[in-house]
Amino acid sequence: MFLKAKRSSRARTAAAGLAAVAVLATGCGGSDTAGGTDSDTLIVYTGQSGDWQLNFNPFSPTLLEGPGTIFEPLFFFNNIRDVDPRPRLGKSFTWNADGTQLDIELRDDAKWTDGEKFTAQDVVFTLDMVKKNPSMNGTGYKGEATAVDDTHVTVKFAEPSFMEGPQVLGRIWMVPRHRWKDIATPATDVVSEPVGTGPFQLGDFKAQAFTLKANPAYWGGEPALKNVRYLALSGNQSGEAALRQGQIDWQTGPVPDIANVEKNYPGYRAITVPMNQAALFTCSNAELGCQGPQTDVAVRKAVYYGMNRTQINSLAFENTASEVSPGAALLIRDEEVVSGELQERTAPMRPDVAKATAALESAGYAKGSDGIYAKDGKPVAMTIKVVAGWTD
């Protein structure tokens, strides 16, 4: 769920532009009152609890920020609408007839924020680096990239690879060869001074907050939104308090009574996407070293049928969750791809005591006088870890 304050049309337009060009985890918005009087600065809280740890490596698991804001892909692919990909560092692309060669035309007006020109050599270097480092290669890229000239790149594949297009073109962040060629371990090394081609660049950095500032030399024009400031607070409760006091513009996190945000937090509105799900994750495979009753499929079935997901949805998610498929898909979003071979397309929203009981008793479990099921003299007991300090 996202919270944002109402603001002038100029700031809303700037925010919409940022969201369109950036694959931004936090989104963006603004407020007349939130975050002080500087209307050119967007104050964001993403749920960070504790100090920020400096790292703007777009391929690192400890990345703070940067994809879409500091670093760009070749094209932006919209995963929600059936529309053509939007050019970023790339201008156009074509495939040969059998899908074994991808030809890409690049922009000739993009520069890195250190002033160096962006060229095809940067693209080839980035793709080669990703292929050489499996932990960076989240798209499974296996192509051979060649720079034809400064604005054209050819990528050849060993087999038809039409489906690889969105991965190569839209999910790999381009980095500057002249800066990255000497990085020893690019998959994990900390990048403290990021150099990208995106609409924003790193401003100041402190453990409690850091700022991205508008890139004045951005090929798409300097953004109207001049600064995005990311705060670190003590947790969701602090974030909720900051909203009440009008200290932040945009939050990606839960708040109490989400249905009445505009009444409880004057000046703000909420966007709620029903993606919360109720599930219990366990170490279940005894052959891989897991121990305890959860390794028995009968116990897992009993838990599955015993959960009151309607109650959990009400207590934990303020009735914003949707049904979930046992095939690990969200029904609202992925209903068309849920396998027809599943015996149950959706997990039950209310407990089915009869099915839970049958699963246990058919596997040799018996209920004791204390109401606890046991097998071979051992009561069924599990330790469940839950987080503390969250407002949801």
Side-chain angles (χ1 to χ4, degrees), residues 8 33 39 47 61-62 100 108 110 122 129 132 154 173 186-187 240-242 257 261 299-300 309 345-346 356 365 371:
S8 67
T33 58
S39 62
T62 60
T100 57
D108 61 1
D122 297 307
M129 177 183 64
K132 291 175 184 177
T154 293
W173 310 103
E240 194 267 341
D257 195 16
V261 162
V299 173
R300 299 201 302 276
R309 293 172 177 82
R345 287 181 58 83
T346 63
Y365 292 87

Side-chain angles (χ1 to χ4, degrees), residues 5 20 71 73 280 302 304 338 361:
F71 301 98
L280 180 65
Y304 171 80
V338 174
E361 293 181 348

Side-chain angles (χ1 to χ4, degrees), residues 41 64 78 90 134 136 156 190 218 229 242 272 310 354 366:
T41 298
L64 286 186
N78 192 319
M136 300 171 69
K156 294 184 178 181
V190 169
Y218 182 50
R229 189 160 182 81
T272 304
T310 297

